Amino acid sequence: MFKITEDCLEKKTFTEYFSSDAEKGTEEFEELIRKFESEPQYQFRMCDYDGEVFYIGYSDDCTHKNGFDPLDMYGEYYGCKDIQYLNEKGEYKRL
């Protein structure tokens, strides 16, 4: 599960959640949100080929397994080609 918190181009904030595991509006989706909010989250940003940051958000996974969900489910539609996660050193690293 992940949530987009900022649209950097439009300078807007968001609170929308996304998941490939359950459909929005279902009890299962709401349970995933509760679980997501109670567990560690990993900050990410999605960029275009030039490195311009389009979106910032949080994911429950920063590994190859599900860490690409924000890019696959949301970012690619809006022109994002890269996803980077904030590491323990405070640096964004490409997944």
Side-chain angles (χ1 to χ4, degrees), residues 17-95:
Y17 293 87
F18 300 88
S19 177
S20 59
D21 296 327
E23 187 176 328
K24 285 185 182 181
T26 64
E27 181 56 37
E28 183 181 9
F29 190 81
E30 295 302 316
E31 180 60 34
L32 287 173
I33 291 173
R34 287 188 287 276
K35 183 176 184 255
F36 177 80
E37 292 296 332
S38 70
E39 294 182 352
Q41 300 172 14
Y42 305 95
Q43 187 173 354
F44 65 85
R45 65 185 184 184
M46 292 186 285
C47 311
D48 66 4
Y49 280 125
D50 296 327
E52 183 173 5
V53 178
F54 282 30
Y55 299 101
I56 295 174
Y58 293 86
S59 176
D60 61 359
D61 190 357
C62 63
T63 67
H64 283 84
K65 182 178 180 188
N66 292 322
F68 281 107
D69 277 357
L71 186 62
D72 294 342
M73 293 177 62
Y74 191 87
E76 286 183 341
Y77 181 79
Y78 293 100
C80 298
K81 302 298 180 189
D82 189 23
I83 188 164
Q84 304 166 349
Y85 281 88
L86 192 63
N87 66 20
E88 61 280 346
K89 296 179 184 176
E91 304 167 331
Y92 281 98
K93 293 294 181 181
R94 179 184 240 176
L95 184 59

Side-chain angles (χ1 to χ4, degrees), residues 4-7 10-15:
I4 303 291
T5 57
E6 186 177 347
D7 178 331
E10 300 284 328
K11 307 288 190 245
K12 294 180 182 178
T13 58
F14 294 134
T15 57

